[in-house]
Amino acid sequence: RRMEAHHLAGVTVFDHRGRHVVSAGAPIWNGASVQGLLYEVARTGKGAISDLARPDDGSPEVALDFAVPMPGGPAAAAADAAILVARVNAAEALGPLVDVGSTRLRTLEATLLRRDGDRVLVLVGLRSTGEAPLTLAFPLDGPPLAPVRMVLGETGPIEGVGRHGQAVLATARPVAGTSWLVAAKVDRAEINARVQAGLLKEGT
């Protein structure tokens, strides 16, 4: 229950050679991504975090892995420490952070974005679409959509174009310690309609 409360899919302890020692919950396979974390922790003696990705073991859920050293004692070298890796289900852990909940703005959406080579990758699902996380992307050399402009450095508020070609108002802020942006947008037509409705009501 404690693991579920923290949205942990599993926890695994590796020795300093990257060999599995013990697991709780779903075992974490020592694939390329986890090996990179183990190397980083062994090299620095500090904790490390992966980027959002689907695990190397083929699990469909998007995950975040956290790795921290477990020193054996004052005389033990950091490179010889066991390493604990905890896996978080990103949809369960991060989804609520960008969930706009109940709102009168029907077209309001918030999500996480990051640059992925020559494209913008949407890291969590959007309110108005059924696409799974990490499946929706926009090319950087395509139309200057609002997500593209934000990943290229504009934080807003900006007037831009949404993925369906509609005029939108959007804003973004970097998430400290990550390559992500948290972004929000609302269709300009909905804002205009609400403003006009308010003016008409005021004039009656």
Side-chain angles (χ1 to χ4, degrees):
R1 289 182 178 178
R2 185 170 295 179
M3 288 181 61
E4 292 177 0
H6 291 87
H7 307 291
L8 294 178
V11 175
T12 294
V13 175
F14 297 91
D15 69 13
H16 69 282
R17 296 183 183 274
R19 297 174 298 197
H20 173 273
V21 177
V22 66
S23 291
I28 298 172
W29 181 59
N30 187 357
S33 175
V34 172
Q35 286 179 6
L37 282 181
L38 297 179
Y39 173 80
E40 182 67 15
V41 173
R43 184 182 67 84
T44 65
K46 300 178 181 179
I49 180 174
S50 72
D51 207 339
L52 286 167
R54 288 189 174 81
D56 296 329
D57 60 10
S59 302
E61 294 84 6
V62 176
L64 274 174
D65 290 336
F66 299 85
V68 293
M70 301 176 64
D80 295 330
I83 298 173
L84 182 146
V85 179
R87 176 161 292 165
V88 174
N89 183 311
E92 294 179 2
L94 299 179
L97 299 180
V98 294
D99 184 5
V100 296
S102 58
T103 172
R104 293 183 180 181
L105 294 172
R106 179 181 51 82
T107 60
L108 177 63
E109 291 180 328
T111 190
L112 292 171
L113 309 170
R114 72 170 166 86
R115 183 168 182 168
D116 181 44
D118 60 357
R119 62 180 187 162
V120 178
L121 194 58
V122 179
L123 302 178
V124 298
L126 295 173
R127 184 181 184 186
S128 64
T129 180
E131 289 104 335
L134 300 179
T135 58
L136 185 60
F138 309 100
L140 291 179
D141 59 357
L145 303 178
V148 173
R149 291 172 58 187
M150 290 188 287
V151 163
L152 291 178
E154 294 186 57
T155 56
I158 65 172
E159 295 187 36
V161 179
R163 66 184 184 281
H164 300 305
Q166 79 280 26
V168 300
L169 294 176
T171 187
R173 292 293 182 271
V175 179
T178 75
S179 59
W180 319 334
L181 294 173
V182 59
K185 76 86 186 169
V186 64
D187 288 3
R188 185 62 184 265
E190 183 173 10
I191 296 295
N192 291 344
R194 290 192 173 274
V195 170
Q196 292 172 1
L199 291 175
L200 289 174
K201 185 176 180 180
E202 210 174 89
T204 58

